[in-house]
Structures are given as structure tokens and as C-alpha cells.
Amino acid sequence: MEAEKRNLTVFGPETDFDGELEYTDDLLITGKFHGNIKSKGALEIAKTAVCNVGKISVQSIVIFGTVIGNIEASERIEMCAGSKVCGDVTTARLRIAENVNFDGQVTMLDEIPAVDLFTVASKEYKQALVLKSDFIE
């Protein structure tokens, strides 16, 4: 099988974007961004980047720079050493390194069971949703 090819778009250090941004693959911001971001792809905020957002909604985000505003990532959020995040975050997985300036609340999403909803009976799907800690051995 051929590996899935993804495009990477880079907003350079001279970029000062203001508005609504939607994209499908991956984005690297090294400049300034003001507005909202919505994507099913990945986002990286470089050390030189400053993002002042209402909301970022992406699959995953890695932050080296500054983000002011709320972040929602369906898979993961990673705040790297030296980054600054001021806003609430919602994600399934979160990693905060040492020396991160974070001011906000965290909401963790529940992982969805690896069950194909359309091929199993509803009783089986409900059973898959039961937490492992609820099983009696």
C-alpha cells in the first residue's frame, strides 16, 4: 500500500493573516494569525508564531509559540517547552512539557471504541462502550 501523501502549507514569518481559515491537510504557522482555524488535519505553531484566535478546531496541534484562545483537537494537543497557551483546551490526549506557560481549563474527550458502528449489533456496541474498570473478572 502506498502511504497517504499529505500537503504541508507554511505561513512564513512575514505572514500576518486575519480571518477565517479552513484547510484539509497540514499547516505550519511561523508568523501572526488572528481569527479562527478549522481543519481535519494537523497544525503546528512555530516558536516565532503568535496566534490570537476565537477557536482552533483541528485533528492535532503541536505548539512551540504563543496561542491566545480556545483549542479543540480531536486526537491530541502538545504544548512544547517555552510555549504559551492562554485559553481552554479540549482533546483526547494532552502533553504539556516543562517550562510551558498555560492558563486555561482542560476538558478530556473520551476515546471512541475501535468498533465499526455499522457492522455490529447495538447490544455489542453498547458493551464496547462499557469501561474496562466495570468488568468483573
Side-chain angles (χ1 to χ4, degrees):
M1 279 178 80
E2 188 177 313
E4 180 183 338
K5 185 179 180 196
R6 297 180 64 95
N7 294 315
L8 173 65
T9 302
V10 178
F11 280 10
E14 307 84 23
T15 304
D16 192 344
F17 187 95
D18 189 357
E20 303 288 321
L21 178 65
E22 288 191 36
Y23 64 95
T24 55
D25 284 342
D26 301 334
L27 176 65
L28 168 61
I29 298 176
T30 62
K32 294 180 182 173
F33 183 93
H34 306 276
N36 294 302
I37 298 174
K38 183 177 181 181
S39 175
K40 294 187 187 314
L43 175 62
E44 182 176 326
I45 308 297
K47 191 168 203 65
T48 57
V50 177
C51 297
N52 194 331
V53 299
K55 183 176 183 182
I56 294 175
S57 181
V58 293
Q59 180 182 27
S60 65
I61 183 170
V62 179
I63 305 164
F64 293 96
T66 301
V67 176
I68 300 168
N70 296 331
I71 304 170
E72 184 176 296
S74 59
E75 285 187 10
R76 71 183 178 97
I77 296 173
E78 185 172 347
M79 298 178 202
C80 300
S83 65
K84 178 181 179 182
V85 177
C86 183
D88 297 339
V89 297
T90 303
T91 188
R93 292 181 299 190
L94 176 65
R95 179 176 176 269
I96 303 176
E98 290 184 31
N99 195 27
V100 170
N101 184 349
F102 173 58
D103 182 14
Q105 295 185 355
V106 175
T107 302
M108 299 302 295
L109 299 172
D110 292 330
E111 296 275 344
I112 298 172
V115 175
D116 182 358
L117 178 61
F118 299 103
T119 61
V120 297
S122 63
K123 184 177 179 182
E124 291 174 47
Y125 183 72
K126 287 178 186 174
Q127 186 63 35
L129 293 174
V130 175
L131 297 174
K132 289 180 183 178
S133 62
D134 290 343
F135 286 109
I136 300 173
E137 295 182 17

